[in-house]
Amino acid sequence: MTHAEAAVPGATGESYLDHGRGIRSWLLTLDHKRIGIMYLVLIVVSLFLGGIFAMVVRFHLWNPGGGLVSNDAYNKMFTLHGAVMIFLFVIPGIPSALGNFVVPLQVGAKDVAFPRVNLLSFWLFAAGAVLFVATLVVGGLDTGWTLYPPYSLESSRGLGILLALTGVFLAGFSSILTGVNFIATIHKMRAPGMGWFDLPLFLWALYATAIIQIFATPVLGITVALGFLERLFHLGIFMPEYGGDPVLFQHFFWFYSHPAVYIMILPAMGIVSEVVSVFSRKPIFGYRFIAMSSIAIAVIGFLVWGHHMFTSGQSKWTNVIFSFLTLLVAIPSAIKTFNWLATMYKGAIVLKTPMLYVLSFFAIFGVGGLTGLFLGALATDIPLHDTYFVVAHFHFVMVGAVMIAFLAGLHYWWPKMTGRMYDERLGTASAVLVFLGFNLTFIPQFFAGVAGMPRRYATYAAQFQGANRLSTVGAVVLTTGLVIALWGLLASLRRGARAPANPWGAASLEWTAASPPIHDNFAVPPRGGRPYDFGGLRLVSDEAGWVRAGGEGA
Amino acid sequence: MIQMPERLAGILLAAGPGFMPERASSVAEGVDHVFGFLFWLSAFFLALIVALTVFFVVRYRSRPSRREPEASPDHDNRLEVLWTAIPLALVFVIFALSTKVYLEMTELEPGAAPLRVQVTGRKWSWWFDHPGGKGANQLHLVAGRPTELVLASTDVIHSLYVPEFRLKQDAVPGRFTKMVFTPTLPGTYPILCAEYCGTNHSTMLTVAVVHPDQAAFDAWAREGQGAEETLVQVGERVFAEKGCSACHSVDGSPGVGPSLKGIWGKDRKLADGKTVRADENYVRESIVKPGAKISAGYDDVMPPIPLDDREIQGVIAYLQGLKEAP
């Protein structure tokens, strides 16, 4: 019996990539792996589309007077940058693309609980994405991604806002359905012997995320539906001229959109938990605390939305309560961070690309989280609100932390998804450039914000030119890093070495399936085990990967 | 306890020209203290995270002589308690320091009668109605005199932001919002719009002029007086034109509706037993939606009166002048 056969009982049979040919076998597939790949394609396209908008913004701001495009065109650029990045990249990126691929494999199941709902979810998302792009065709949208009325619903607005609201509605529905699927899958389809505390932490993170998706996203749907009706029929909900209240929109909007920040960051934290443990060759430290802190973040995350309205005129005691609740989020975040660091203690740290991305996550998430204190604390939020300090803060969380964790996860699971090893040198180069470029882009923005530069400015005072130019140079470096990452991954499809079932020596179930997995994932239904027990694993060779001593599958 | 980091922060902030704007209001120092505390706290924890990351990677890197991890526990409840309790304690400290300063930011300083300015945001400029009837597209204030800005907007949401004052307040259409502070340092400071409002959002700029004393302010306020209708005059005219005076007296005598003499700023008894302070938003509501809150002893008979924002501001200014009932 060879090592590969010993480690991979399901290695026989054709891979999911060969199971069914032709475009229809992809577009109408019920296979969670193919749906995950389709999500991945859309999401990466969205990332680069949003990136193009960002580069227009950054080059426009090279000079204080702007000048690359008109003010109106600039306003459309930052609106589309925000809307595309948030709704089509950051929110669905990890759960829908990586999560769809990984969740059934990690629980040891054949597929998600509701494969047809999964396909519907994908097509709703695709339809939402098409509507976003359609707003470009009908003249663009300049409301900011936050869509605040009265500005967003003024009667002079045409089709653009209606398309965007419908697009958000559809993307939101897609998100809800994905959440339903993950909760059902994690509850009902775990392999025999896999208890709740045998779940890989990525699944705890996605479980917490799914709770938020199911409870918060309907509020977004209702809000954009009301906005749609308000614009067409003047119901008097959000528009003061018809008797409505624009701050009510802000409450509704942030009741979803703040928890949405945790829809973005929790899966990222899940990836970090997997990667830091595997590449330290040590069980994750404080498993239960990391798992429970995900749930704590999901719960507290519902109670902090009011911190977006500290300057809106809401009562001061409301502000005080929201400030306190907001600061509480620091605690589960700190618990996670220290547990990750403790995982590396006395480990045998392997600096492959996923781990490099995770190491940069620690510093960047540190800055993102700590600068959140300045915005949760009322005294400092009042001057900093709506300045570049906020822009820098949320980019540290959403780009720095989430996108970098997405890249870590993408490199980590790439061999499983494609059956090919990416080029480690290109991966390393991309991780270093992304880290440097990211910091160069966004650290100067903290300084500009403290000095008083408001966000969403097409032109600015000369004193901020230095910060803006550093930022633009940083954005070029960051983009270069991303292009190298993409190139390295795509090139591996043709030139990459064949990936073994378990190239990293990980202990969770997806690594007992073949790379790429067969259509049914596992030839023999696996038993759930201990996802961070690396004890019996040893590296046979780069080609054969890691196998568990004794030849049993996990 | 926070003296040390503040001093350090002061040194660092002074080292970076243009990093922190000048302090020109009563609240600026308190805000900067909280900022300094958070800055050094964050710097400490970031340094800790980065140092541990770098140290562990260097020390525990997998290399030919060291392929296996060393034995170490996979959890430790004492450590978990430690790194839960320390952040929790710090959250309380941050919350206490920040909230104390914030509550000071929302209270007028006692003492001299405040300078009240009606602020109107519109695409894409600001308008300021100063006491004594002087309107201007710049904000004029007096150093050392407590100030209350009452903000309104005629179209979309704007936000009045003065970095040197460390203050910001949204101007929301359909309601009034307030910003209170005392300017401390004579000078001219930029006013920016901080809430995105369309094409010229980034050029919706003007200045706040802080006069060194009341006399300088008065001299400015007298320039070109009488050319325009003042807010009080607008209110008086509206009060007559719209027929308000048919039901509401201004001298305390009874009528179909309550007399408006001396009601400004007082608590009003309502028909449902609640009380409400007669402030800007109450007056606005009583005009555009009179049935919402009915004064005790009166009937819900008043029709809504559609007034524009400036007319409502005028009525408010007029009511503020109707002093004390006998």
Side-chain angles (χ1 to χ4, degrees):
Chain A
M1 189 183 267
T2 68
H3 294 301
E5 280 164 1
V8 189
T12 51
E14 59 187 347
S15 97
Y16 80 98
L17 294 167
D18 299 322
H19 184 88
R21 302 244 167 214
I23 191 80
R24 269 177 61 93
S25 76
W26 279 87
L27 297 183
L28 298 177
T29 183
L30 299 179
D31 182 349
H32 69 98
K33 299 181 289 302
R34 287 192 167 196
I35 291 173
I37 297 289
M38 290 197 291
Y39 266 118
L40 185 62
V41 170
L42 266 190
I43 278 158
V44 170
V45 168
S46 300
L47 171 63
F48 279 86
L49 184 65
I52 290 169
F53 297 138
M55 293 312 280
V56 175
V57 164
R58 286 283 13 127
F59 278 101
H60 178 82
L61 295 175
W62 184 257
N63 290 316
L68 181 64
V69 294
S70 69
N71 282 7
D72 281 329
Y74 173 85
N75 293 342
K76 288 173 184 170
M77 284 297 137
F78 78 67
T79 298
L80 285 164
H81 164 67
V84 166
M85 285 298 201
I86 292 200
F87 292 116
L88 303 184
F89 173 69
V90 193
I91 289 178
I94 298 175
S96 296
L98 301 179
N100 250 312
F101 193 94
V102 172
V103 168
L105 285 163
Q106 280 196 333
V107 298
K110 232 172 100 172
D111 208 312
V112 291
F114 310 115
R116 285 185 171 74
V117 171
N118 204 18
L119 183 64
L120 173 64
S121 161
F122 171 77
W123 282 110
L124 286 172
F125 175 72
V130 167
L131 289 180
F132 271 106
V133 177
T135 60
L136 272 175
V137 180
V138 299
L141 190 67
D142 73 336
T143 59
W145 81 273
T146 47
L147 303 165
Y148 275 16
Y151 187 70
S152 64
L153 300 176
E154 285 179 321
S155 50
S156 56
R157 287 194 183 279
L159 203 51
I161 182 70
L162 298 178
L163 288 173
L165 290 171
T166 314
V168 173
F169 188 84
L170 293 177
F173 241 94
S174 160
S175 185
I176 296 170
L177 295 179
T178 299
V180 168
N181 237 327
F182 286 176
I183 285 189
T185 306
I186 294 170
H187 266 276
K188 304 302 291 182
M189 302 184 68
R190 299 195 307 278
M194 184 185 278
W196 280 93
F197 289 108
D198 301 320
L199 287 176
L201 285 165
F202 184 58
L203 294 182
W204 270 106
L206 284 181
Y207 187 81
T209 305
I211 294 173
I212 309 175
Q213 287 175 308
I214 288 176
F215 287 107
T217 318
V219 178
L220 176 74
I222 293 164
T223 309
V224 295
L226 287 175
F228 192 97
L229 296 172
E230 177 82 338
R231 170 64 195 83
L232 284 183
F233 304 114
H234 305 164
L235 302 182
I237 298 164
F238 302 134
M239 296 293 280
E241 55 185 304
Y242 314 124
D245 179 358
V247 179
L248 180 67
F249 177 90
Q250 298 180 19
H251 279 281
F252 283 0
F253 181 81
W254 289 113
F255 186 83
Y256 165 76
S257 293
H258 198 82
V261 173
Y262 304 108
I263 294 181
M264 307 169 198
I265 193 76
L266 281 170
M269 292 167 158
I271 289 175
V272 171
S273 300
E274 298 298 300
V275 170
V276 75
S277 172
V278 170
F279 290 87
S280 300
R281 312 294 322 135
K282 256 189 65 194
I284 188 84
F285 191 87
Y287 175 98
R288 286 178 189 237
F289 287 87
I290 294 182
M292 287 305 128
S293 61
S294 287
I295 304 294
I297 287 174
V299 172
I300 302 171
F302 271 102
L303 306 174
V304 303
W305 80 90
H307 69 223
H308 292 270
M309 280 90 80
F310 282 163
T311 67
S312 72
Q314 73 186 354
S315 94
K316 66 179 171 187
W317 296 111
T318 309
N319 281 351
V320 167
I321 291 165
F322 276 121
S323 169
F324 182 72
L325 292 167
T326 300
L327 292 170
L328 283 182
V329 180
I331 295 159
S333 307
I335 291 173
K336 279 181 190 287
T337 303
F338 288 116
N339 278 300
W340 291 326
L341 293 174
T343 302
M344 295 198 292
Y345 174 69
K346 290 194 173 179
I349 297 167
V350 184
L351 293 177
K352 299 266 184 180
T353 305
M355 187 62 173
L356 291 176
Y357 275 116
V358 162
L359 293 174
S360 59
F361 175 98
F362 292 152
I364 286 172
F365 179 66
V367 174
L370 289 163
T371 50
L373 297 174
F374 293 76
L375 301 173
L378 279 161
T380 38
D381 179 74
I382 302 295
L384 296 176
H385 182 76
D386 274 338
T387 68
Y388 263 80
F389 189 93
V390 175
V391 175
H393 161 74
F394 72 69
H395 279 89
F396 262 82
V397 177
M398 292 187 201
V399 186
V402 180
M403 187 185 77
I404 280 177
F406 171 78
L407 290 167
L410 188 59
H411 283 87
Y412 178 60
W413 282 302
W414 187 258
K416 185 58 58 187
M417 298 169 111
T418 64
R420 300 284 186 160
M421 300 303 291
Y422 60 85
D423 184 320
E424 203 57 61
R425 285 164 310 170
L426 289 174
T428 303
S430 75
V432 170
L433 283 177
V434 165
F435 179 72
L436 295 177
F438 176 82
N439 282 300
L440 185 56
T441 307
F442 293 105
I443 287 176
Q445 296 184 3
F446 283 120
F447 290 83
V450 172
M453 179 168 170
R455 65 193 287 200
R456 297 175 168 175
Y457 263 32
T459 56
Y460 56 87
Q463 70 180 109
F464 303 118
Q465 186 175 35
N468 274 285
R469 289 195 165 180
L470 284 176
S471 229
T472 302
V473 172
V476 173
V477 177
L478 175 57
T479 306
T480 309
L482 291 174
V483 170
I484 290 175
L486 183 69
W487 179 38
L489 292 171
L490 291 181
S492 78
L493 294 178
R494 290 182 68 88
R495 296 204 301 267
R498 298 261 169 211
N502 191 353
W504 313 126
S508 45
L509 288 182
E510 76 269 33
W511 303 103
T512 64
S515 296
I518 61 171
H519 176 70
D520 288 339
N521 291 349
F522 303 95
V524 179
R527 283 191 61 80
R530 298 178 300 276
Y532 302 104
D533 174 15
F534 305 117
L537 288 160
R538 76 194 159 82
L539 181 64
V540 174
S541 68
D542 283 347
E543 292 72 40
W546 295 67
V547 294
R548 199 171 276 287
E552 50 180 297
Chain B
M1 173 182 144
I2 61 166
Q3 285 305 314
M4 235 356 241
E6 266 168 40
R7 208 164 298 141
L8 284 168
I11 292 164
L12 187 104
L13 301 188
F19 180 18
M20 209 83 175
E22 240 180 326
R23 293 176 187 167
S25 83
S26 51
V27 303
E29 196 177 350
V31 169
D32 288 3
H33 286 183
V34 177
F35 187 93
F37 176 69
L38 287 172
F39 182 87
W40 288 107
L41 186 77
S42 303
F44 170 77
F45 277 101
L46 182 64
L48 181 70
I49 292 168
V50 172
L52 286 175
T53 306
V54 171
F55 175 73
F56 287 166
V57 167
V58 172
R59 174 74 183 74
Y60 301 119
R61 188 159 170 206
S62 173
R63 44 192 180 265
S65 60
R66 189 178 177 287
R67 283 275 177 243
E68 293 297 318
E70 297 161 45
S72 66
D74 64 2
H75 71 284
D76 184 334
N77 289 345
R78 289 163 309 174
L79 272 178
E80 301 288 349
V81 168
L82 183 74
W83 59 49
T84 304
I86 291 175
L88 184 65
L90 287 171
V91 159
F92 277 99
V93 172
I94 295 167
F95 175 70
L97 289 175
S98 147
T99 303
K100 179 169 168 288
V101 171
Y102 170 71
L103 291 176
E104 288 163 10
M105 292 164 87
T106 60
E107 293 292 340
L108 266 176
E109 281 191 304
L115 185 77
R116 290 174 49 96
V117 181
Q118 292 276 347
V119 181
T120 307
R122 61 206 174 185
K123 288 179 184 170
W124 289 280
S125 62
W126 296 100
W127 185 255
F128 303 93
D129 286 294
H130 297 83
K134 176 88 172 219
N137 55 15
Q138 300 180 338
L139 174 61
H140 285 256
L141 304 170
V142 182
R145 184 165 174 198
T147 300
E148 180 176 71
L149 306 184
V150 180
L151 294 93
S153 164
T154 60
D155 40 43
V156 301
I157 302 174
H158 303 280
S159 190
L160 186 99
Y161 174 35
V162 185
E164 283 77 3
F165 293 167
R166 307 285 189 276
L167 283 169
K168 180 181 293 119
Q169 177 61 56
D170 292 2
V172 183
R175 68 165 68 174
F176 293 104
T177 54
K178 273 186 193 173
M179 177 161 150
V180 295
F181 62 101
T182 306
T184 50
L185 191 65
T188 302
Y189 308 102
I191 292 177
L192 307 131
C193 179
E195 183 63 56
Y196 173 67
C197 59
T199 311
N200 292 334
H201 169 53
S202 64
T203 50
M204 187 169 159
L205 307 170
T206 181
V207 291
V209 179
V210 179
H211 293 277
D213 52 36
Q214 188 66 39
F217 176 89
D218 291 340
W220 167 80
R222 274 194 303 274
E223 289 169 20
Q225 261 299 33
E228 275 186 73
E229 196 181 30
T230 68
L231 263 188
V232 176
Q233 287 164 346
V234 170
E236 199 168 4
R237 175 171 57 76
V238 168
F239 204 78
E241 281 176 4
K242 303 287 180 183
C244 311
S245 48
C247 302
H248 296 283
S249 79
V250 293
D251 58 3
S253 51
V256 176
S259 171
L260 302 182
K261 178 163 183 174
I263 68 154
W264 179 257
K266 301 282 167 50
D267 284 333
R268 305 281 299 162
K269 266 233 147 332
L270 299 182
D272 60 8
K274 292 180 184 153
T275 53
V276 61
R277 178 71 51 87
D279 62 5
E280 288 86 356
N281 281 316
Y282 169 73
V283 171
R284 177 198 286 273
E285 185 181 58
S286 300
I287 295 169
V288 301
K289 219 166 132 191
K293 297 189 178 75
I294 301 296
S295 288
Y298 294 91
D299 294 325
D300 179 8
V301 294
M302 176 172 157
I305 314 289
L307 298 184
D308 69 25
D309 279 0
R310 186 160 178 81
E311 290 171 330
I312 294 173
Q313 288 171 339
V315 171
I316 288 167
Y318 178 59
L319 291 184
Q320 286 167 346
L322 299 174
K323 289 289 179 226
E324 282 310 303

